[in-house]
Structures are given as structure tokens and as C-alpha cells.
Amino acid sequence: MTRGILIAGNESALITALELETVKRVDQFARALIPNRVSEAGANPGFQSRRGQPSSESGGQVPVEQARHSLQWNPSSPISARTLVLGAENRLEHIDEAILVCDPPSIRRAVADLPLADIEVLINDQIKGWFFLVKELAAVFRVRKSGTLALVYNDIASGGGKDEAANLIGPSALASFSSLLRGLLASASSEPYFTVGFSNSGAGDEAGFAAFVLKALDEGSKRNNGKLHKYGKFNFFR
């Protein structure tokens, strides 16, 4: 019986790298992206993805586009979270591993210039949405008494020059995500499923980080339960 893997999060180089690692292991997987709903995102120079996209070549494995089941997700809706989990189960038969990827966009504007609608959308999608999805996945794993909930994020400073507007949204979303992860890890031993975390402190090595994540999930060791695995340029245990 093949592994059922669900990947969910922001469209990013990290998501692409995780997909490339996933198709080395399974013939199909499910993916759900947080939609880009910020107003005038395409034309607004202050809105940008944190990193560019790597090639989607799968190195002789099943092409990503053929292996991927793309699912719709409205993170601000608890009903959509439940529908997403059901949709992934229908296509994969079961979810063994849910890889949740927080890599929020960078929006560099003075706080007075942030549109109110964008603030609401970004908080709903980048903060509240994770709680809805984690709740639904945890409920499924608890009933099955198995499964792995993996939370993944890039722990990288927002950067920018002294004359550049601060990136207010991205770090706030990351702080919420990492706080949620710490709470889940603290209670992992009382649940019948595994919870693990992965952080990356090295920019520009999404492929290495993705390989690190999937290798740890391959092992499925009880020793990993409740742990945050840190990856960076000084990490020698790939």
C-alpha cells in the first residue's frame, strides 16, 4: 500500500522542491495551495514571493504534473479545510503524511499604507487557516490512530535595507505558525499519531531542505515524534 502524502501551503520554491522529493517516493500525491488573494498582487511591486521557483524536472521519476492531484483550498473557511482533507482521502485512499508549508509572501509597505482588506485576507489565510487545517488532519489521524503531521517553515530573516519598508505580514505569519508548531510538539506524546517540525535557517537551499524533510519522514521513527528538526548551512546530517 503506497503512502498517501498531502502537501499544503504557499506557492514557493520550497513547495516545488518538496514535490520533486515526493515523486521519488510515490506515484501520486495531493497538493493544495493558499490562493494569492492580495489586491493588485501582480502589479504591486511590494508584493513578492520570498524566493523564485526552481525547475520542476523530476529527474527521471514520474513527472510532477502527472503525479499531482491539485485540490482547491480556501484557508479562511473551516468547511473548506474539511473538504480538502476529504478530497485528499478520496484521491489517495488515505493520508499518511500531511506536510504543511508556511512560506508567506513578503509585503513591504508602511503600516499606514496596508489596505484593510489585505490585512484581513492575509491573517485569515496565513494564520487562521493553519488552525482549521491542523484541526481536521488531527481529527482524522486520531480516529485512524496513525499518521504524521509535519509542519515546515523557512526561519529566515526578512532582510531589506534601512530605507525599505518593513515586511510586517510575513514575519507575523511565521511567528504564529512556529508558535502553533511548538504547542503541537509539546502535546505530541499524548496523541496516537506523530507530530514533527522542520525549520530551515539557510536561504537558497530549498532542494537540500526538502530532501532533509522527506528523509526524516521516510524513517518514521518514534524518536522523531515531538521534535523540531533544524536544517541550515552547517547541518551535516542530510
Side-chain angles (χ1 to χ4, degrees):
M1 184 169 58
T2 187
R3 292 158 65 182
I5 299 178
L6 167 65
I7 302 174
N10 304 91
E11 184 172 9
S12 63
L14 180 52
I15 281 277
T16 301
L18 287 165
E19 290 182 338
L20 291 171
E21 285 296 322
T22 297
V23 296
K24 296 177 182 179
R25 295 160 169 82
V26 296
D27 293 333
Q28 60 176 346
F29 67 95
R31 184 197 71 176
L33 296 179
I34 296 175
N36 178 0
R37 301 193 298 173
V38 176
S39 61
E40 300 179 356
N44 176 11
F47 183 98
Q48 56 188 359
S49 187
R50 283 159 50 107
R51 277 165 292 281
Q53 298 293 318
S55 169
S56 61
E57 294 296 326
S58 54
Q61 306 296 323
V62 177
V64 170
E65 292 76 12
Q66 294 182 22
R68 177 200 301 140
H69 293 284
S70 295
L71 303 175
Q72 297 297 313
W73 179 28
N74 175 8
S76 66
S77 166
I79 295 175
S80 182
R82 181 57 180 156
T83 301
L84 168 58
V85 172
L86 288 173
E89 288 183 312
N90 287 337
R91 287 162 176 78
L92 303 175
E93 296 185 4
H94 48 81
I95 303 172
D96 297 297
E97 297 158 14
I99 306 174
L100 311 185
V101 186
C102 183
D103 195 10
S106 172
I107 302 178
R108 297 188 178 278
R109 287 183 176 177
V111 66
D113 297 330
L114 284 172
L116 293 178
D118 287 352
I119 294 173
E120 184 173 13
V121 164
L122 287 163
I123 290 176
N124 283 340
D125 289 358
Q126 305 292 337
I127 297 179
K128 189 163 67 174
W130 290 120
F131 285 85
F132 292 150
L133 184 55
V134 165
K135 171 182 167 57
E136 293 297 335
L137 289 166
V140 169
F141 290 159
R142 180 179 285 178
V143 169
R144 288 184 54 200
K145 300 186 184 303
S146 67
T148 298
L149 184 63
L151 277 68
V152 182
Y153 66 97
N154 280 307
D155 189 13
I156 299 171
S158 59
K162 64 178 182 179
D163 296 326
E164 188 176 18
N167 174 17
L168 299 176
I169 298 295
S172 297
L174 281 172
S176 174
F177 188 83
S178 62
S179 180
L180 170 61
L181 171 58
R182 287 193 297 272
L184 293 171
L185 295 179
S187 60
S189 61
S190 64
E191 297 291 352
Y193 55 87
F194 291 168
T195 303
V196 292
F198 299 91
S199 68
N200 174 27
S201 61
D205 188 16
E206 281 75 20
F209 183 36
F212 176 78
V213 171
L214 267 297
K215 182 179 179 181
L217 294 180
D218 289 343
E219 296 172 355
S221 173
K222 292 183 179 180
R223 293 178 300 176
N224 290 333
N225 188 35
K227 291 186 177 181
L228 173 61
H229 302 269
K230 297 183 179 182
Y231 178 87
K233 61 183 179 180
F234 298 114
N235 188 301
F236 300 101
F237 302 100
R238 297 190 184 183

